[in-house]
Amino acid sequence: MCAHNPPCPTAMAPDREAARPVAHRPEQGWSLLCNGVLVFEDTRELLPDGRIVAPHRPLALTVGSAA
């Protein structure tokens, strides 16, 4: 699907979010990547085969004293 050089990661690759966006709709909260993955602003993903990837935001660091 990708015509970029070097090619973007496939939809099944662990780094699939590094693919280039081909459509971006910030008002609706999603982007379509050239590998067919839909990425939502809450970090959910919809893969081309219909599988859903749960949100995976990094955990927030807490500020406090260490024991």
Side-chain angles (χ1 to χ4, degrees):
M1 201 186 298
C2 176
H4 300 112
N5 190 10
C8 293
T10 67
M12 299 305 146
D15 60 345
R16 63 182 154 257
E17 294 174 15
R20 293 186 188 184
V22 294
H24 181 63
R25 299 292 183 259
E27 71 280 2
Q28 295 178 356
W30 60 267
S31 295
L32 175 63
L33 306 180
C34 72
N35 57 8
V37 175
L38 272 171
V39 180
F40 297 91
E41 66 182 17
D42 68 354
T43 71
R44 292 177 199 235
E45 297 173 5
L46 180 60
L47 302 180
D49 64 4
R51 287 188 289 151
I52 297 170
V53 177
H56 50 277
R57 287 190 173 141
L59 295 175
L61 298 175
T62 58
V63 177
S65 60

